Amino acid sequence: CIHGRLHALAPQARCVLHLHPAYSTALAALADPEIKPVDQNTARFFNRVAYDLGYEGMANTDAEGERLVKILGNKSVMMMGNHGVLVAAETVAAAYDAMYYLERACQTLVLAYSTGKPLNVMSDAVAEKTAQEWEAYAESAFTHFDEMKKVLDQVDPSYAD
């Protein structure tokens, strides 16, 4: 219901990863799940994330998938309130890279929140500049993905069967 509607209706959704990793799901469980730009990983997602705060239970209808497509719009990352996260990308490498850095960004933010101290949030100008600088490295997603496959080849090559 989620993946099928995304593939059918969102042009950027050639590869869709929908996961429930610990830190990004913890952030999605907050009343304000915004990824605030507090370091360069969090700034990567500045103004580039869709936020779904309308969780109403399991995503088991086409209507729910269509609702999520509308919320995603032309973005490639969605924080799914009370649920998890979603990345839609043109390639597996780009989707993997975005999901990897999304979870790292959420880890940093959750750890920063856990101190109980005020966050040092970047200005919009610095956050946008940093996000654009990340975009200049988009091709590195392929190198990142290739390196992760090499690790898998050593640990358990059966994934490729």
Side-chain angles (χ1 to χ4, degrees), residues 6 16 26 30 49 53 75 81 158:
L6 281 162
V16 177
L30 299 178
V49 177
L53 302 179
K75 297 195 165 120
S158 68

Side-chain angles (χ1 to χ4, degrees), residues 144-154 159:
H144 186 198
F145 191 60
D146 287 342
E147 289 302 315
M148 292 311 300
K149 287 192 293 187
K150 287 178 186 175
V151 170
L152 281 174
D153 287 341
Q154 291 174 352
Y159 80 95

Side-chain angles (χ1 to χ4, degrees), residues 41-114:
N41 284 340
T42 51
R44 174 182 177 150
F45 299 98
F46 181 72
N47 284 336
R48 287 154 176 81
V49 177
Y51 294 92
D52 171 28
L53 302 179
Y55 182 80
E56 293 184 355
M58 301 293 283
N60 54 14
T61 67
D62 283 348
E64 176 64 1
E66 290 166 12
R67 185 185 74 79
L68 292 171
V69 168
K70 287 179 187 168
I71 292 168
L72 183 64
N74 65 353
K75 297 195 165 120
S76 60
V77 175
M78 185 184 326
M79 293 295 289
M80 303 171 77
N82 304 107
H83 190 154
V85 294
L86 182 140
V87 170
E90 299 251 345
T91 66
V92 173
Y96 171 82
D97 190 67
M99 186 62 79
Y100 175 87
Y101 281 104
L102 177 63
E103 180 64 2
R104 293 292 302 263
C106 292
Q107 179 182 25
T108 297
L109 196 51
V110 166
L111 290 172
Y113 276 133
S114 73

Side-chain angles (χ1 to χ4, degrees), residues 134-144:
W134 271 104
E135 289 169 354
Y137 288 99
E139 290 300 312
S140 68
F142 295 97
T143 303
H144 186 198

